[in-house]
Amino acid sequence: MSEETPGFEEKPEVPAEGTPEEPKAADSAEEAAPAGEAKSASDVGLLAQLDQARSALGERTADLQRLQAEYQNYRRRVDRDRVTVKEIAVAGLLSELLPTLDDVGRAREHGELVGGFKSVAESLETVVAKMGLQQFGKEGEPFDPTIHEALMHSYAPDVTETTCVAILQPGYRIGERTIRPARVAVAEPQPGSAKPEGSEESEGKGDE
């Protein structure tokens, strides 16, 4: 009879490491699919948020451009009004000085602009010129009712149109604004001095 060694029992064979783990590969594949779908859904959400941000940015940019345009228009309107107010104020001041300038002009014509009075008068004329005051009105220029005021009227054979033959008071303007029209004496062509066209030709035919 053979004797069995006490303490040693036969144990079932244990499979190699990793063999029981093989079913996990299928599980990981199953888990990978839902993760990919979740990632794709996240990208779609980010793209939607990006589109919304771009749309909001476009709206804000359009609002800013509109506000800038409105502000520029407001600045131009304010500047234009400021210039207009300044011109009106200057015109009002210079209008009060016109009688004095008329006196200076008459004194110069009569040779009375001498001494200290001459210096003061020339200084006054320099100041008003710097403020934009311009004198106008000359003898021989065509009469323009928008800038001339006719105080005397006559006929003259040597004019072909209504003409300013004497400047009684010069006119004054600031830029395009007329402060006072030039007061003038005008002359018109002598009645009957200009023959209508074709009159000589008709007279020649009558003589034949």
Side-chain angles (χ1 to χ4, degrees):
M1 294 179 65
S2 60
E3 295 181 0
E4 298 180 357
T5 305
F8 290 92
E9 297 179 355
E10 295 183 359
K11 297 181 179 180
E13 295 182 359
V14 179
E17 292 182 1
T19 303
E21 301 295 332
E22 291 180 358
K24 292 183 179 181
D27 295 341
S28 62
E30 292 177 358
E31 293 175 358
E37 294 177 358
K39 184 177 181 181
S40 176
S42 176
D43 292 343
V44 170
L46 290 175
L47 290 174
Q49 293 178 1
L50 180 60
D51 291 339
Q52 291 178 354
R54 287 175 177 172
S55 177
L57 178 61
E59 292 177 357
R60 298 299 177 271
T61 302
D63 291 341
L64 178 60
Q65 291 175 345
R66 184 169 56 254
L67 287 175
Q68 288 179 337
E70 291 177 355
Y71 177 70
Q72 292 296 332
N73 291 334
Y74 167 76
R75 285 289 304 274
R76 281 192 288 267
R77 188 165 57 252
V78 169
D79 292 341
R80 186 172 59 250
D81 293 345
R82 184 182 296 112
V83 171
T84 301
V85 170
K86 180 180 178 181
E87 288 181 352
I88 293 174
V90 171
L93 172 62
L94 294 178
S95 296
E96 299 296 327
L97 294 176
L98 294 186
T100 303
L101 294 175
D102 291 336
D103 292 338
V104 170
R106 283 190 290 268
R108 181 178 287 113
E109 291 176 357
H110 292 85
E112 298 175 355
L113 200 62
V114 294
F117 178 52
K118 179 180 179 181
S119 299
V120 173
E122 290 177 349
S123 297
L124 176 62
E125 291 174 336
T126 300
V127 170
V128 296
K130 288 182 178 180
M131 298 177 70
L133 186 67
Q134 298 176 347
Q135 186 182 102
F136 66 90
K138 294 181 180 180
E139 293 183 7
E141 62 185 8
F143 175 75
D144 184 351
T146 62
I147 60 173
H148 297 136
E149 180 181 353
L151 300 183
M152 299 178 64
H153 177 271
S154 62
Y155 295 97
D158 57 342
V159 298
T160 58
E161 60 179 341
T162 305
T163 305
C164 300
V165 294
I167 305 300
L168 306 179
Q169 276 187 333
Y172 289 97
R173 67 164 64 97
I174 298 178
E176 300 298 325
R177 182 190 299 273
T178 299
I179 297 180
R180 187 182 74 185
R183 293 165 180 169
V184 300
V186 299
E188 292 183 348
Q190 192 72 32
S193 60
K195 295 183 179 180
E197 295 181 1
S199 60
E200 294 181 358
E201 182 179 352
S202 62
E203 290 177 359
K205 290 182 180 180
D207 294 339
E208 295 177 357

